[in-house]
Amino acid sequence: MSLGGVTSHKARTVPFLRSLVKHSRTPVHAFEEASDRASGALVRLNMGPFRPYLVTHPDHVQHVLKGNQPNYLRAGMFWDPLAPLLGQGILSEGEGWAASRKILQPVFTARYVNSLTSRMAQIVTGLIDAIVVPGRRFDVAEVVSALIHPTIVRLFLGATISDDDINRLAPAYDTGVTARSIRLLLPSVPERFPLLGDRAFRQAIKTIDEVVYPRIRYAKARGGAEADLVSRLVSARRDEPDADRLIRDDMVAIHGAATETSVTALTWVWPVLDAHPEIAARVYEEVDRVVGRGPVTVAHLPELTYLKMFMDELVRLYPPGWILPRTAAGADQIDGVEIPAGATMVLSPYLTHRLPEFWDRPLEFDPERFAPGNDRARHRYAYFPFAAGPHVCLGPHLFMMEALLLIAGILCKYRPVLHTTGPITPRLASTLRPPTGLSMTLVPAGRA
Ligand code: HEM
């Protein structure tokens, strides 16, 4: 077959189902095996009748996310079940997405995010003081979530939101993104046929709407004058007829995009520090030197340069958004490989970030890769923890501020003692999570 004058061929298919069975307890290893077999080539994963295309080579990633991006839609089996939750805005496609992106892009400037940071520092520091009991063992993911979730909710939905409402949102989101997993396995079942989880999903949306709509009305009553995100959106959409629903869709989508990813990344920090004592010692030395015994403030952030490199490396080896699925709208050709219309494309920062062809010692955790200037020889699309192209994440700067404040806020007072030993194998969920049940104690820094 020839498209645009270039001879093309069908993609090679690599075994996948067998690997999944072999690694049923650690399916991430099945993806790693498939990527090893592909060695950067565009291949199909043999999952029986369903054979998605695995895209790992940075040139191919660039083609899908940037070069021919309009052909690769965030639609299909991975996205459609979530559409009633995420709505028609920034996490959709087409006109609704474009209109939201136009409004949100200028909101998420470094200037606006920096203006949120001192408020964020106060909230995070206050929560650490309220939640951490030195010497008491706790579940890492639970405590990180208890620190991040209220921080993001207050910054986005306003300082006056009640604790009660904050506490209703977290479980509702959790249900919202997980309740319909069964539809992933049964993509051909139409929406009108009810499946297990649908009711819980609808209830979760109702709860979220019951919290979010009153916050929109509250921001409107104040003329959109406050600094929080909902007020910014109220001002930006002042003259639009369907403004409330559009603001709701964007608030819900951004909240979803911001919390789960941040919580996951900040949960990984602790097992990674534990596994690399020399790197941990450099992080502790930097926090001691820059922040002392705290509290951490916005002024400290530019000086936490090693901690920032540590986080860049953390989201290389453990990118929360480990899979970016797309559906090909029309036929295409990538590097000579035929892509038929309707094909499911699976991009994976996790796999691309570990390709030996593009990374020296790919499995070694080494923050020096991100020292200034060390990225010069790197392919621009070998590293894309925040995606790339028109759908690139809006939150990297906010995330980094939040990460530095939380980690330095804890380390200026405490040292972590992890109670879990042995290899920490990532768990595949909507994000790349560490194993469940990681437990840890924080001991006062002087006595560690
Ligand atoms: C570790 C933290 C985060 C990671 C790894 C991450 C990663 C990503 C990725 C991979 C995408 C692209 C998804 C796709 O198109 O398939 C994305 C999109 C997005 N992210 Fe993030 N994100 C993080 C934090 C945040 C935060 C804090 C915000 C808050 C504003 C945010 C807001 C968004 C939005 C609005 C989009 C959709 C952009 C668009 O489609 O135009 N993210 N993020």
Side-chain angles (χ1 to χ4, degrees), residues 316 352-353 355-362 369 378 382-383:
R316 179 184 73 86
T352 301
H353 292 175
L355 286 181
E357 294 83 354
F358 294 90
W359 295 92
D360 182 28
R361 303 163 285 114
R369 298 176 202 276
R378 190 182 309 140
Y383 182 68

Side-chain angles (χ1 to χ4, degrees), residues 65 74 79 89-93 97 101 104-105 108 152 156 229 250 253-266 311 315 318-326 349 384-400 402:
L65 293 182
R74 279 195 308 208
W79 290 96
I90 191 70
L91 278 182
S92 67
E93 276 293 2
W97 165 76
R101 182 92 198 180
L104 287 168
Q105 183 105 13
F108 278 91
I152 290 185
F156 285 2
L229 186 60
D250 281 341
I254 297 176
H255 180 280
T259 43
E260 164 92 6
T261 46
S262 303
V263 168
T264 304
L266 290 167
M311 286 313 296
V315 295
Y318 308 105
W322 66 279
I323 184 171
L324 307 182
R326 296 289 190 266
F384 61 114
F386 298 100
H391 283 305
V392 70
C393 176
L394 286 169
H397 186 53
L398 184 75
F399 168 69
M400 194 53 87
E402 178 189 30

Side-chain angles (χ1 to χ4, degrees), residues 216-344:
I216 297 172
R217 289 196 286 273
Y218 180 87
K220 271 186 159 170
R222 282 177 166 56
E226 320 262 319
D228 49 66
L229 186 60
V230 66
S231 300
R232 293 294 299 251
L233 293 193
V234 161
S235 309
R237 295 206 185 256
R238 197 181 299 279
D239 303 320
E240 293 185 41
D242 200 12
D244 284 16
R245 188 187 55 80
L246 296 169
I247 296 168
R248 174 266 175 222
D249 285 357
D250 281 341
M251 290 307 305
V252 172
I254 297 176
H255 180 280
T259 43
E260 164 92 6
T261 46
S262 303
V263 168
T264 304
L266 290 167
T267 303
W268 272 111
V269 167
W270 312 97
V272 169
L273 283 174
D274 186 69
H276 304 283
E278 282 156 33
I279 292 170
R282 279 191 69 181
V283 170
Y284 301 160
E285 183 282 322
E286 182 177 84
V287 173
D288 284 350
R289 179 167 38 81
V290 174
V291 186
R293 287 290 162 258
V296 60
T297 66
V298 178
H300 296 128
L301 300 186
E303 290 177 66
L304 295 169
T305 50
Y306 189 73
L307 186 52
K308 181 172 178 307
M309 286 156 54
F310 173 89
M311 286 313 296
D312 288 337
E313 176 69 343
L314 186 108
V315 295
R316 179 184 73 86
L317 271 179
Y318 308 105
W322 66 279
I323 184 171
L324 307 182
R326 296 289 190 266
T327 299
D332 191 15
Q333 196 188 77
I334 303 180
D335 214 356
V337 173
E338 289 166 24
I339 307 293
T344 299

